[in-house]
Amino acid sequence: MTEGRALKHVQVREYVRSLVSGAAPGSPAPSERELVQRFGVARMTVRQAMDALVVEGLLERIPGRGTFVARPRRVASRLTSYTEEMQRRGLLAESQTLLARREQAGPGVARALNLTEGDAVIHWRRLRRADGIPMCIEDAYLNEILIPGFLQAGMPTSLYEALDARGLRPTWAEDSITADVATEEEAGLLETETGAAVLRHSRRAVAEEKVVEVSRSVYRADRFTMWVQLGEEG
Amino acid sequence: MTEGRALKHVQVREYVRSLVSGAAPGSPAPSERELVQRFGVARMTVRQAMDALVVEGLLERIPGRGTFVARPRRVASRLTSYTEEMQRRGLLAESQTLLARREQAGPGVARALNLTEGDAVIHWRRLRRADGIPMCIEDAYLNEILIPGFLQAGMPTSLYEALDARGLRPTWAEDSITADVATEEEAGLLETETGAAVLRHSRRAVAEEKVVEVSRSVYRADRFTMWVQLGEEG
DNA sequence: GAGTGGTCTAGACCACGAT
DNA sequence: TCGTGGTCTAGACCACTCT
């Protein structure tokens, strides 16, 4: 209807999607035979369309009864950047670059980035604030080969948005989280006391099968609680 | 072959699965027409079988070339229990019950468990060790209605295994993680110093759409680093 | 009994990749 | 040119639910 060129199963799929988007969970979707009539296609074609929506988690089939809008599934946390995370909390995210330069990768960073020691990496150290108050210090190390001209382009507000623009938005990450107390230097930057509780967060972020970012952050524990959703429920 | 009763697409699917299990990523799977011949079924039946394995992430189709064993996908962390987590680290998990009784839910616990204040909950406090050394103190609150006779049955070694036996294995959880310093009481139990860094971990665990467990744990930061995998990569 | 989704057949034509 | 997966047809029978 809308697209003469579109594949039939795509047409049916998008028609059903538009029908049920916004509908309450449990609402009935059109029956398969009804869609066969409406689009004048074979039932297998309709099933192909519906299968996609079922896999997506939008629809749920109940044999003998029909097809219905599925209850939204609880899913694992999406990978978010600091900027997005603060926005979600209703806080204004700001960053102050303390350091941004080309360095030779040390042994730890090289291993984490799948590079050889001495390879060029970009080291970017920022003091990050939320609503104007220090929240964390982040040291990010980036694989320079993947993002040529990054330093010259001027530092972006959001690292993940900048990576996204290069088609390297991280989609998977391995994080480690531990508790510690602030060193004197950290306490100074974070405007807190030496010995105050801090959360240390390390991340190894992957995009397109390549490790693009390795970072170490230290958060003021009095300002930051990490939230994680794990697993998946039908 | 193996099962006369089995549906044809299941037979084909399991045959292909057995063929490619253990095969290196990139190895070719049988072509669809080859399977049509072998099983004497229609091509749509073979496609149904292969579709399932593709959705599962086991196979990958490349138009014009064939179907191949997919590279293992990076997925988000599974929901694990303390016992499983320590096993994964090669440590011996032990628990010492400090308290296990029926209580009336306070406001916080009631809200977290979707109950009304004053409803019966099971409060289970344990000192957990790893290789004999204190690792954390955990206070778990369980919805008694979902697990009648739990206290009388004798406390199990693993809470999650006990829930699993009742068909209530948590599949999804909402965790919060923050850093703090140990109180005097905590330090005593954990055999560390008052003011030492600790990781506070709260969990709200869901099984079958019902909140079954709410817990608060405090880990010795010198012994415990949390690992989390986020997102998903094709 | 009427309607639903689940399974299955025996073909067909297409675009694409390899040779 | 040949083999591959992608799409599509026009039927069929089944088990199940609802009324």
PDB file of all heavy atoms in Angstrom, chain B residues 127-147:
ATOM      1  N   LEU B 127      26.303 -14.785  56.717  1.00  0.00           N
ATOM      2  CA  LEU B 127      27.691 -14.381  56.500  1.00  0.00           C
ATOM      3  C   LEU B 127      28.238 -15.347  55.460  1.00  0.00           C
ATOM      4  O   LEU B 127      28.207 -16.559  55.642  1.00  0.00           O
ATOM      5  CB  LEU B 127      28.505 -14.492  57.798  1.00  0.00           C
ATOM      6  CG  LEU B 127      30.009 -14.215  57.642  1.00  0.00           C
ATOM      7  CD1 LEU B 127      30.272 -12.787  57.201  1.00  0.00           C
ATOM      8  CD2 LEU B 127      30.736 -14.504  58.962  1.00  0.00           C
ATOM      9  N   ARG B 128      28.682 -14.788  54.358  1.00  0.00           N
ATOM     10  CA  ARG B 128      29.144 -15.640  53.258  1.00  0.00           C
ATOM     11  C   ARG B 128      30.657 -15.584  53.165  1.00  0.00           C
ATOM     12  O   ARG B 128      31.251 -14.517  53.230  1.00  0.00           O
ATOM     13  CB  ARG B 128      28.542 -15.155  51.942  1.00  0.00           C
ATOM     14  CG  ARG B 128      27.031 -15.393  51.860  1.00  0.00           C
ATOM     15  CD  ARG B 128      26.495 -14.750  50.618  1.00  0.00           C
ATOM     16  NE  ARG B 128      25.168 -15.155  50.265  1.00  0.00           N
ATOM     17  CZ  ARG B 128      24.837 -16.320  49.723  1.00  0.00           C
ATOM     18  NH1 ARG B 128      25.747 -17.233  49.499  1.00  0.00           N
ATOM     19  NH2 ARG B 128      23.585 -16.577  49.410  1.00  0.00           N
ATOM     20  N   ARG B 129      31.243 -16.744  52.993  1.00  0.00           N
ATOM     21  CA  ARG B 129      32.687 -16.831  52.892  1.00  0.00           C
ATOM     22  C   ARG B 129      33.092 -17.351  51.511  1.00  0.00           C
ATOM     23  O   ARG B 129      32.294 -17.977  50.817  1.00  0.00           O
ATOM     24  CB  ARG B 129      33.236 -17.799  53.954  1.00  0.00           C
ATOM     25  CG  ARG B 129      33.021 -17.341  55.372  1.00  0.00           C
ATOM     26  CD  ARG B 129      33.308 -18.473  56.357  1.00  0.00           C
ATOM     27  NE  ARG B 129      32.874 -18.104  57.699  1.00  0.00           N
ATOM     28  CZ  ARG B 129      33.641 -17.432  58.557  1.00  0.00           C
ATOM     29  NH1 ARG B 129      34.867 -17.084  58.234  1.00  0.00           N
ATOM     30  NH2 ARG B 129      33.170 -17.117  59.749  1.00  0.00           N
ATOM     31  N   ALA B 130      34.329 -17.075  51.152  1.00  0.00           N
ATOM     32  CA  ALA B 130      34.915 -17.632  49.944  1.00  0.00           C
ATOM     33  C   ALA B 130      36.270 -18.167  50.335  1.00  0.00           C
ATOM     34  O   ALA B 130      37.094 -17.416  50.874  1.00  0.00           O
ATOM     35  CB  ALA B 130      35.051 -16.570  48.858  1.00  0.00           C
ATOM     36  N   ASP B 131      36.473 -19.441  50.105  1.00  0.00           N
ATOM     37  CA  ASP B 131      37.706 -20.107  50.555  1.00  0.00           C
ATOM     38  C   ASP B 131      37.951 -19.849  52.046  1.00  0.00           C
ATOM     39  O   ASP B 131      39.099 -19.669  52.465  1.00  0.00           O
ATOM     40  CB  ASP B 131      38.915 -19.645  49.716  1.00  0.00           C
ATOM     41  CG  ASP B 131      39.000 -20.387  48.382  1.00  0.00           C
ATOM     42  OD1 ASP B 131      38.184 -21.298  48.158  1.00  0.00           O
ATOM     43  OD2 ASP B 131      39.864 -20.041  47.571  1.00  0.00           O
ATOM     44  N   GLY B 132      36.883 -19.815  52.799  1.00  0.00           N
ATOM     45  CA  GLY B 132      36.988 -19.719  54.255  1.00  0.00           C
ATOM     46  C   GLY B 132      37.092 -18.323  54.818  1.00  0.00           C
ATOM     47  O   GLY B 132      36.958 -18.126  56.022  1.00  0.00           O
ATOM     48  N   ILE B 133      37.310 -17.323  53.959  1.00  0.00           N
ATOM     49  CA  ILE B 133      37.490 -15.955  54.440  1.00  0.00           C
ATOM     50  C   ILE B 133      36.210 -15.157  54.185  1.00  0.00           C
ATOM     51  O   ILE B 133      35.615 -15.271  53.108  1.00  0.00           O
ATOM     52  CB  ILE B 133      38.688 -15.284  53.733  1.00  0.00           C
ATOM     53  CG1 ILE B 133      39.958 -16.134  53.956  1.00  0.00           C
ATOM     54  CG2 ILE B 133      38.893 -13.857  54.228  1.00  0.00           C
ATOM     55  CD1 ILE B 133      41.132 -15.697  53.125  1.00  0.00           C
ATOM     56  N   PRO B 134      35.765 -14.346  55.156  1.00  0.00           N
ATOM     57  CA  PRO B 134      34.532 -13.587  54.980  1.00  0.00           C
ATOM     58  C   PRO B 134      34.559 -12.733  53.717  1.00  0.00           C
ATOM     59  O   PRO B 134      35.564 -12.066  53.425  1.00  0.00           O
ATOM     60  CB  PRO B 134      34.471 -12.702  56.229  1.00  0.00           C
ATOM     61  CG  PRO B 134      35.200 -13.483  57.260  1.00  0.00           C
ATOM     62  CD  PRO B 134      36.313 -14.155  56.509  1.00  0.00           C
ATOM     63  N   MET B 135      33.454 -12.797  52.972  1.00  0.00           N
ATOM     64  CA  MET B 135      33.338 -12.064  51.713  1.00  0.00           C
ATOM     65  C   MET B 135      32.228 -11.024  51.808  1.00  0.00           C
ATOM     66  O   MET B 135      32.413  -9.887  51.408  1.00  0.00           O
ATOM     67  CB  MET B 135      33.032 -13.055  50.588  1.00  0.00           C
ATOM     68  CG  MET B 135      32.797 -12.432  49.244  1.00  0.00           C
ATOM     69  SD  MET B 135      34.289 -11.685  48.561  1.00  0.00           S
ATOM     70  CE  MET B 135      34.921 -13.021  47.554  1.00  0.00           C
ATOM     71  N   CYS B 136      31.082 -11.434  52.329  1.00  0.00           N
ATOM     72  CA  CYS B 136      29.982 -10.478  52.431  1.00  0.00           C
ATOM     73  C   CYS B 136      28.949 -10.910  53.449  1.00  0.00           C
ATOM     74  O   CYS B 136      28.926 -12.054  53.886  1.00  0.00           O
ATOM     75  CB  CYS B 136      29.319 -10.274  51.074  1.00  0.00           C
ATOM     76  SG  CYS B 136      28.136 -11.530  50.607  1.00  0.00           S
ATOM     77  N   ILE B 137      28.140  -9.927  53.825  1.00  0.00           N
ATOM     78  CA  ILE B 137      26.969 -10.181  54.657  1.00  0.00           C
ATOM     79  C   ILE B 137      25.761  -9.909  53.777  1.00  0.00           C
ATOM     80  O   ILE B 137      25.699  -8.861  53.128  1.00  0.00           O
ATOM     81  CB  ILE B 137      26.919  -9.221  55.874  1.00  0.00           C
ATOM     82  CG1 ILE B 137      28.254  -9.249  56.627  1.00  0.00           C
ATOM     83  CG2 ILE B 137      25.756  -9.571  56.786  1.00  0.00           C
ATOM     84  CD1 ILE B 137      28.445  -8.018  57.520  1.00  0.00           C
ATOM     85  N   GLU B 138      24.849 -10.856  53.756  1.00  0.00           N
ATOM     86  CA  GLU B 138      23.669 -10.672  52.909  1.00  0.00           C
ATOM     87  C   GLU B 138      22.394 -10.770  53.721  1.00  0.00           C
ATOM     88  O   GLU B 138      22.200 -11.714  54.489  1.00  0.00           O
ATOM     89  CB  GLU B 138      23.646 -11.737  51.802  1.00  0.00           C
ATOM     90  CG  GLU B 138      22.403 -11.633  50.925  1.00  0.00           C
ATOM     91  CD  GLU B 138      22.261 -12.805  49.971  1.00  0.00           C
ATOM     92  OE1 GLU B 138      23.123 -12.941  49.090  1.00  0.00           O
ATOM     93  OE2 GLU B 138      21.292 -13.583  50.113  1.00  0.00           O
ATOM     94  N   ASP B 139      21.524  -9.808  53.545  1.00  0.00           N
ATOM     95  CA  ASP B 139      20.187  -9.847  54.119  1.00  0.00           C
ATOM     96  C   ASP B 139      19.204 -10.049  52.984  1.00  0.00           C
ATOM     97  O   ASP B 139      19.015  -9.151  52.159  1.00  0.00           O
ATOM     98  CB  ASP B 139      19.857  -8.543  54.844  1.00  0.00           C
ATOM     99  CG  ASP B 139      20.536  -8.458  56.200  1.00  0.00           C
ATOM    100  OD1 ASP B 139      20.052  -9.125  57.140  1.00  0.00           O
ATOM    101  OD2 ASP B 139      21.544  -7.734  56.305  1.00  0.00           O
ATOM    102  N   ALA B 140      18.599 -11.237  52.939  1.00  0.00           N
ATOM    103  CA  ALA B 140      17.614 -11.521  51.889  1.00  0.00           C
ATOM    104  C   ALA B 140      16.218 -11.526  52.479  1.00  0.00           C
ATOM    105  O   ALA B 140      16.005 -12.005  53.594  1.00  0.00           O
ATOM    106  CB  ALA B 140      17.915 -12.864  51.238  1.00  0.00           C
ATOM    107  N   TYR B 141      15.295 -10.950  51.725  1.00  0.00           N
ATOM    108  CA  TYR B 141      13.888 -10.951  52.120  1.00  0.00           C
ATOM    109  C   TYR B 141      13.102 -11.645  51.030  1.00  0.00           C
ATOM    110  O   TYR B 141      13.220 -11.296  49.848  1.00  0.00           O
ATOM    111  CB  TYR B 141      13.375  -9.523  52.315  1.00  0.00           C
ATOM    112  CG  TYR B 141      14.068  -8.798  53.444  1.00  0.00           C
ATOM    113  CD1 TYR B 141      15.265  -8.116  53.228  1.00  0.00           C
ATOM    114  CD2 TYR B 141      13.532  -8.817  54.733  1.00  0.00           C
ATOM    115  CE1 TYR B 141      15.914  -7.470  54.267  1.00  0.00           C
ATOM    116  CE2 TYR B 141      14.178  -8.165  55.779  1.00  0.00           C
ATOM    117  CZ  TYR B 141      15.364  -7.495  55.536  1.00  0.00           C
ATOM    118  OH  TYR B 141      16.000  -6.858  56.569  1.00  0.00           O
ATOM    119  N   LEU B 142      12.307 -12.629  51.427  1.00  0.00           N
ATOM    120  CA  LEU B 142      11.575 -13.433  50.442  1.00  0.00           C
ATOM    121  C   LEU B 142      10.082 -13.312  50.667  1.00  0.00           C
ATOM    122  O   LEU B 142       9.616 -13.206  51.806  1.00  0.00           O
ATOM    123  CB  LEU B 142      11.990 -14.906  50.570  1.00  0.00           C
ATOM    124  CG  LEU B 142      13.510 -15.148  50.575  1.00  0.00           C
ATOM    125  CD1 LEU B 142      13.828 -16.576  50.989  1.00  0.00           C
ATOM    126  CD2 LEU B 142      14.082 -14.850  49.193  1.00  0.00           C
ATOM    127  N   ASN B 143       9.344 -13.353  49.598  1.00  0.00           N
ATOM    128  CA  ASN B 143       7.884 -13.311  49.679  1.00  0.00           C
ATOM    129  C   ASN B 143       7.375 -14.672  50.132  1.00  0.00           C
ATOM    130  O   ASN B 143       7.399 -15.639  49.379  1.00  0.00           O
ATOM    131  CB  ASN B 143       7.322 -12.954  48.296  1.00  0.00           C
ATOM    132  CG  ASN B 143       5.826 -12.762  48.318  1.00  0.00           C
ATOM    133  OD1 ASN B 143       5.157 -13.187  49.265  1.00  0.00           O
ATOM    134  ND2 ASN B 143       5.306 -12.116  47.296  1.00  0.00           N
ATOM    135  N   GLU B 144       6.898 -14.739  51.371  1.00  0.00           N
ATOM    136  CA  GLU B 144       6.548 -16.035  51.948  1.00  0.00           C
ATOM    137  C   GLU B 144       5.418 -16.723  51.196  1.00  0.00           C
ATOM    138  O   GLU B 144       5.356 -17.952  51.126  1.00  0.00           O
ATOM    139  CB  GLU B 144       6.168 -15.884  53.431  1.00  0.00           C
ATOM    140  CG  GLU B 144       6.402 -17.167  54.197  1.00  0.00           C
ATOM    141  CD  GLU B 144       5.567 -17.277  55.463  1.00  0.00           C
ATOM    142  OE1 GLU B 144       4.580 -16.535  55.605  1.00  0.00           O
ATOM    143  OE2 GLU B 144       5.916 -18.110  56.299  1.00  0.00           O
ATOM    144  N   ILE B 145       4.510 -15.942  50.646  1.00  0.00           N
ATOM    145  CA  ILE B 145       3.364 -16.519  49.944  1.00  0.00           C
ATOM    146  C   ILE B 145       3.815 -17.394  48.774  1.00  0.00           C
ATOM    147  O   ILE B 145       3.194 -18.396  48.461  1.00  0.00           O
ATOM    148  CB  ILE B 145       2.431 -15.388  49.435  1.00  0.00           C
ATOM    149  CG1 ILE B 145       1.853 -14.637  50.655  1.00  0.00           C
ATOM    150  CG2 ILE B 145       1.310 -15.929  48.566  1.00  0.00           C
ATOM    151  CD1 ILE B 145       1.216 -13.317  50.294  1.00  0.00           C
ATOM    152  N   LEU B 146       4.933 -16.996  48.160  1.00  0.00           N
ATOM    153  CA  LEU B 146       5.402 -17.726  46.981  1.00  0.00           C
ATOM    154  C   LEU B 146       6.137 -19.009  47.346  1.00  0.00           C
ATOM    155  O   LEU B 146       6.263 -19.915  46.521  1.00  0.00           O
ATOM    156  CB  LEU B 146       6.330 -16.830  46.143  1.00  0.00           C
ATOM    157  CG  LEU B 146       5.706 -15.568  45.548  1.00  0.00           C
ATOM    158  CD1 LEU B 146       6.762 -14.743  44.836  1.00  0.00           C
ATOM    159  CD2 LEU B 146       4.587 -15.944  44.594  1.00  0.00           C
ATOM    160  N   ILE B 147       6.636 -19.069  48.590  1.00  0.00           N
ATOM    161  CA  ILE B 147       7.448 -20.244  48.956  1.00  0.00           C
ATOM    162  C   ILE B 147       7.008 -20.781  50.317  1.00  0.00           C
ATOM    163  O   ILE B 147       7.770 -20.765  51.285  1.00  0.00           O
ATOM    164  CB  ILE B 147       8.952 -19.884  48.992  1.00  0.00           C
ATOM    165  CG1 ILE B 147       9.147 -18.545  49.742  1.00  0.00           C
ATOM    166  CG2 ILE B 147       9.526 -19.788  47.603  1.00  0.00           C
ATOM    167  CD1 ILE B 147      10.599 -18.231  50.029  1.00  0.00           C
TER     168      ILE B 147
END
